[in-house]
Amino acid sequence: MPAGPDRVLITSEQIQTRVREMAAQIEADYPDGPLYLVSVLKGAFMFVADLARALKRPSVRIEFMAISSYGNAKTSSGQVKVTRDLDVNIEGYNVLIVEDIIDSGVTLSYLTRILQQRRPKSLEIATLLDKPERRVQPVNVKYVGFKIPDEFVVGYGLDFAEDYRNLSEIRVLTG
Ligand code: PRP
């Protein structure tokens, strides 16, 4: 059992400021029509909630998918599968995938491939965290909250073995 996550990497205030900045940029980029936020469970639940609240545009639609890639291990197994699909048809709509973290890129490269086949009007990615050093598969990410070093982080939706998702800041898991 690892020790507690005792080093704060990104404070709650830093996250909230950055989320508002990202929302402003997204609003400028999508002036009209419905915008689907496709959030990837479970890790993105807190980010999508804050991002959605920060968006003041009229039509924001929130949909969830679940993709499994890690299990309870600290490193990616490279295995990806959809465990919960969308309930809606996204054909012809602007779609923004909302993720908590991009690590190897395996999850997002798979997800963008399958969603693109559904012919959205546009498909982009917003991630709170990006670990570019870890990339194995290329991913075209339009909105990045914070680039972070290759350390195991928890909090603000991110877990270790399902714990720590409730923290309002991002911490480095030590031990
Ligand atoms: C995390 C994260 C991304 C994925 C990123 O999800 O939410 O979906 O890993 O890693 P990758 O770039 O190496 O593919 P995880 O599978 O841990 O599930 P969770 O969101 O339910 O915690």
mmCIF file of all heavy atoms in Angstrom, residues 91-113:
data_model
loop_
_atom_site.group_PDB
_atom_site.id
_atom_site.type_symbol
_atom_site.label_atom_id
_atom_site.label_comp_id
_atom_site.label_asym_id
_atom_site.label_seq_id
_atom_site.Cartn_x
_atom_site.Cartn_y
_atom_site.Cartn_z
ATOM 1 N N GLU A 91 -23.693 12.682 -35.266
ATOM 2 C CA GLU A 91 -23.482 13.063 -36.673
ATOM 3 C C GLU A 91 -23.914 14.515 -36.903
ATOM 4 O O GLU A 91 -25.027 14.903 -36.544
ATOM 5 C CB GLU A 91 -24.266 12.131 -37.605
ATOM 6 C CG GLU A 91 -23.979 12.439 -39.062
ATOM 7 C CD GLU A 91 -24.579 11.413 -40.021
ATOM 8 O OE1 GLU A 91 -25.061 10.357 -39.563
ATOM 9 O OE2 GLU A 91 -24.570 11.695 -41.227
ATOM 10 N N GLY A 92 -23.010 15.303 -37.479
ATOM 11 C CA GLY A 92 -23.317 16.686 -37.827
ATOM 12 C C GLY A 92 -23.166 17.688 -36.689
ATOM 13 O O GLY A 92 -23.431 18.866 -36.865
ATOM 14 N N TYR A 93 -22.736 17.237 -35.523
ATOM 15 C CA TYR A 93 -22.589 18.142 -34.371
ATOM 16 C C TYR A 93 -21.118 18.421 -34.051
ATOM 17 O O TYR A 93 -20.234 17.605 -34.346
ATOM 18 C CB TYR A 93 -23.233 17.531 -33.128
ATOM 19 C CG TYR A 93 -24.733 17.552 -33.166
ATOM 20 C CD1 TYR A 93 -25.450 16.381 -33.420
ATOM 21 C CD2 TYR A 93 -25.441 18.739 -32.964
ATOM 22 C CE1 TYR A 93 -26.834 16.397 -33.467
ATOM 23 C CE2 TYR A 93 -26.826 18.761 -33.009
ATOM 24 C CZ TYR A 93 -27.510 17.587 -33.258
ATOM 25 O OH TYR A 93 -28.880 17.610 -33.306
ATOM 26 N N ASN A 94 -20.910 19.570 -33.399
ATOM 27 C CA ASN A 94 -19.585 19.857 -32.850
ATOM 28 C C ASN A 94 -19.403 19.053 -31.569
ATOM 29 O O ASN A 94 -20.238 19.126 -30.664
ATOM 30 C CB ASN A 94 -19.447 21.347 -32.538
ATOM 31 C CG ASN A 94 -19.340 22.180 -33.788
ATOM 32 O OD1 ASN A 94 -18.597 21.846 -34.719
ATOM 33 N ND2 ASN A 94 -20.097 23.265 -33.850
ATOM 34 N N VAL A 95 -18.305 18.294 -31.512
ATOM 35 C CA VAL A 95 -18.056 17.406 -30.376
ATOM 36 C C VAL A 95 -16.686 17.724 -29.785
ATOM 37 O O VAL A 95 -15.690 17.830 -30.504
ATOM 38 C CB VAL A 95 -18.096 15.918 -30.816
ATOM 39 C CG1 VAL A 95 -17.692 15.001 -29.665
ATOM 40 C CG2 VAL A 95 -19.474 15.555 -31.342
ATOM 41 N N LEU A 96 -16.683 17.879 -28.477
ATOM 42 C CA LEU A 96 -15.430 18.103 -27.759
ATOM 43 C C LEU A 96 -15.273 16.973 -26.740
ATOM 44 O O LEU A 96 -16.089 16.839 -25.823
ATOM 45 C CB LEU A 96 -15.491 19.465 -27.055
ATOM 46 C CG LEU A 96 -14.254 19.930 -26.316
ATOM 47 C CD1 LEU A 96 -13.044 20.041 -27.253
ATOM 48 C CD2 LEU A 96 -14.520 21.273 -25.641
ATOM 49 N N ILE A 97 -14.253 16.165 -26.928
ATOM 50 C CA ILE A 97 -13.964 15.104 -25.963
ATOM 51 C C ILE A 97 -13.297 15.747 -24.748
ATOM 52 O O ILE A 97 -12.345 16.522 -24.895
ATOM 53 C CB ILE A 97 -13.015 14.039 -26.562
ATOM 54 C CG1 ILE A 97 -13.642 13.380 -27.794
ATOM 55 C CG2 ILE A 97 -12.654 12.994 -25.507
ATOM 56 C CD1 ILE A 97 -12.680 12.458 -28.550
ATOM 57 N N VAL A 98 -13.807 15.442 -23.571
ATOM 58 C CA VAL A 98 -13.260 16.033 -22.344
ATOM 59 C C VAL A 98 -12.610 14.933 -21.515
ATOM 60 O O VAL A 98 -13.269 13.990 -21.082
ATOM 61 C CB VAL A 98 -14.377 16.728 -21.538
ATOM 62 C CG1 VAL A 98 -13.809 17.317 -20.248
ATOM 63 C CG2 VAL A 98 -15.029 17.819 -22.375
ATOM 64 N N GLU A 99 -11.295 15.066 -21.332
ATOM 65 C CA GLU A 99 -10.526 14.051 -20.604
ATOM 66 C C GLU A 99 -9.820 14.667 -19.407
ATOM 67 O O GLU A 99 -9.560 15.876 -19.380
ATOM 68 C CB GLU A 99 -9.468 13.444 -21.537
ATOM 69 C CG GLU A 99 -9.829 12.095 -22.101
ATOM 70 C CD GLU A 99 -9.824 10.973 -21.061
ATOM 71 O OE1 GLU A 99 -9.930 11.252 -19.850
ATOM 72 O OE2 GLU A 99 -9.717 9.814 -21.459
ATOM 73 N N ASP A 100 -9.499 13.848 -18.450
ATOM 74 C CA ASP A 100 -8.724 14.327 -17.312
ATOM 75 C C ASP A 100 -7.232 14.312 -17.613
ATOM 76 O O ASP A 100 -6.510 15.228 -17.238
ATOM 77 C CB ASP A 100 -9.025 13.498 -16.047
ATOM 78 C CG ASP A 100 -8.885 12.011 -16.266
ATOM 79 O OD1 ASP A 100 -9.200 11.538 -17.378
ATOM 80 O OD2 ASP A 100 -8.455 11.308 -15.346
ATOM 81 N N ILE A 101 -6.760 13.253 -18.296
ATOM 82 C CA ILE A 101 -5.317 13.155 -18.542
ATOM 83 C C ILE A 101 -5.041 12.367 -19.819
ATOM 84 O O ILE A 101 -5.775 11.423 -20.145
ATOM 85 C CB ILE A 101 -4.592 12.494 -17.329
ATOM 86 C CG1 ILE A 101 -3.072 12.567 -17.474
ATOM 87 C CG2 ILE A 101 -5.062 11.065 -17.100
ATOM 88 C CD1 ILE A 101 -2.314 12.286 -16.176
ATOM 89 N N ILE A 102 -4.015 12.805 -20.527
ATOM 90 C CA ILE A 102 -3.497 12.031 -21.653
ATOM 91 C C ILE A 102 -2.094 11.583 -21.287
ATOM 92 O O ILE A 102 -1.241 12.403 -20.935
ATOM 93 C CB ILE A 102 -3.472 12.834 -22.960
ATOM 94 C CG1 ILE A 102 -4.874 13.373 -23.246
ATOM 95 C CG2 ILE A 102 -3.001 11.957 -24.114
ATOM 96 C CD1 ILE A 102 -4.952 14.173 -24.522
ATOM 97 N N ASP A 103 -1.905 10.293 -21.369
ATOM 98 C CA ASP A 103 -0.652 9.690 -20.933
ATOM 99 C C ASP A 103 -0.001 9.053 -22.169
ATOM 100 O O ASP A 103 0.641 9.747 -22.960
ATOM 101 C CB ASP A 103 -1.031 8.675 -19.843
ATOM 102 C CG ASP A 103 0.133 8.162 -19.042
ATOM 103 O OD1 ASP A 103 1.237 8.101 -19.584
ATOM 104 O OD2 ASP A 103 -0.055 7.801 -17.880
ATOM 105 N N SER A 104 -0.230 7.773 -22.394
ATOM 106 C CA SER A 104 0.336 7.124 -23.585
ATOM 107 C C SER A 104 -0.346 7.610 -24.867
ATOM 108 O O SER A 104 0.228 7.508 -25.954
ATOM 109 C CB SER A 104 0.183 5.603 -23.477
ATOM 110 O OG SER A 104 -1.180 5.242 -23.570
ATOM 111 N N GLY A 105 -1.584 8.091 -24.735
ATOM 112 C CA GLY A 105 -2.360 8.476 -25.915
ATOM 113 C C GLY A 105 -3.166 7.321 -26.499
ATOM 114 O O GLY A 105 -3.946 7.514 -27.439
ATOM 115 N N VAL A 106 -3.016 6.142 -25.926
ATOM 116 C CA VAL A 106 -3.710 4.949 -26.448
ATOM 117 C C VAL A 106 -5.227 5.133 -26.391
ATOM 118 O O VAL A 106 -5.938 4.875 -27.372
ATOM 119 C CB VAL A 106 -3.275 3.685 -25.655
ATOM 120 C CG1 VAL A 106 -4.161 2.488 -26.003
ATOM 121 C CG2 VAL A 106 -1.814 3.364 -25.940
ATOM 122 N N THR A 107 -5.725 5.620 -25.240
ATOM 123 C CA THR A 107 -7.175 5.780 -25.071
ATOM 124 C C THR A 107 -7.732 6.784 -26.076
ATOM 125 O O THR A 107 -8.709 6.512 -26.774
ATOM 126 C CB THR A 107 -7.488 6.275 -23.636
ATOM 127 O OG1 THR A 107 -6.866 5.395 -22.707
ATOM 128 C CG2 THR A 107 -8.978 6.317 -23.380
ATOM 129 N N LEU A 108 -7.117 7.958 -26.143
ATOM 130 C CA LEU A 108 -7.650 9.022 -26.998
ATOM 131 C C LEU A 108 -7.470 8.721 -28.470
ATOM 132 O O LEU A 108 -8.332 9.112 -29.268
ATOM 133 C CB LEU A 108 -6.972 10.343 -26.648
ATOM 134 C CG LEU A 108 -7.754 11.271 -25.720
ATOM 135 C CD1 LEU A 108 -9.065 11.709 -26.332
ATOM 136 C CD2 LEU A 108 -8.053 10.594 -24.409
ATOM 137 N N SER A 109 -6.416 8.056 -28.835
ATOM 138 C CA SER A 109 -6.254 7.778 -30.261
ATOM 139 C C SER A 109 -7.320 6.765 -30.696
ATOM 140 O O SER A 109 -7.903 6.890 -31.781
ATOM 141 C CB SER A 109 -4.834 7.348 -30.585
ATOM 142 O OG SER A 109 -4.695 5.997 -30.664
ATOM 143 N N TYR A 110 -7.654 5.832 -29.823
ATOM 144 C CA TYR A 110 -8.730 4.880 -30.107
ATOM 145 C C TYR A 110 -10.079 5.600 -30.154
ATOM 146 O O TYR A 110 -10.872 5.428 -31.083
ATOM 147 C CB TYR A 110 -8.715 3.793 -29.033
ATOM 148 C CG TYR A 110 -9.889 2.851 -29.068
ATOM 149 C CD1 TYR A 110 -9.944 1.821 -30.010
ATOM 150 C CD2 TYR A 110 -10.935 2.975 -28.159
ATOM 151 C CE1 TYR A 110 -11.029 0.956 -30.040
ATOM 152 C CE2 TYR A 110 -12.010 2.115 -28.191
ATOM 153 C CZ TYR A 110 -12.051 1.104 -29.135
ATOM 154 O OH TYR A 110 -13.122 0.254 -29.156
ATOM 155 N N LEU A 111 -10.323 6.420 -29.145
ATOM 156 C CA LEU A 111 -11.620 7.095 -29.041
ATOM 157 C C LEU A 111 -11.868 8.044 -30.218
ATOM 158 O O LEU A 111 -12.967 8.073 -30.783
ATOM 159 C CB LEU A 111 -11.678 7.859 -27.720
ATOM 160 C CG LEU A 111 -13.010 8.482 -27.356
ATOM 161 C CD1 LEU A 111 -14.109 7.440 -27.288
ATOM 162 C CD2 LEU A 111 -12.897 9.206 -26.022
ATOM 163 N N THR A 112 -10.861 8.814 -30.595
ATOM 164 C CA THR A 112 -11.063 9.734 -31.715
ATOM 165 C C THR A 112 -11.325 8.950 -33.005
ATOM 166 O O THR A 112 -12.150 9.359 -33.825
ATOM 167 C CB THR A 112 -9.861 10.678 -31.928
ATOM 168 O OG1 THR A 112 -8.670 9.925 -31.940
ATOM 169 C CG2 THR A 112 -9.777 11.718 -30.861
ATOM 170 N N ARG A 113 -10.670 7.818 -33.126
ATOM 171 C CA ARG A 113 -10.894 6.992 -34.324
ATOM 172 C C ARG A 113 -12.357 6.534 -34.394
ATOM 173 O O ARG A 113 -13.013 6.663 -35.413
ATOM 174 C CB ARG A 113 -9.934 5.796 -34.294
ATOM 175 C CG ARG A 113 -9.550 5.287 -35.649
ATOM 176 C CD ARG A 113 -8.306 4.414 -35.657
ATOM 177 N NE ARG A 113 -8.253 3.378 -34.647
ATOM 178 C CZ ARG A 113 -7.341 3.325 -33.680
ATOM 179 N NH1 ARG A 113 -6.412 4.250 -33.584
ATOM 180 N NH2 ARG A 113 -7.350 2.350 -32.805
#
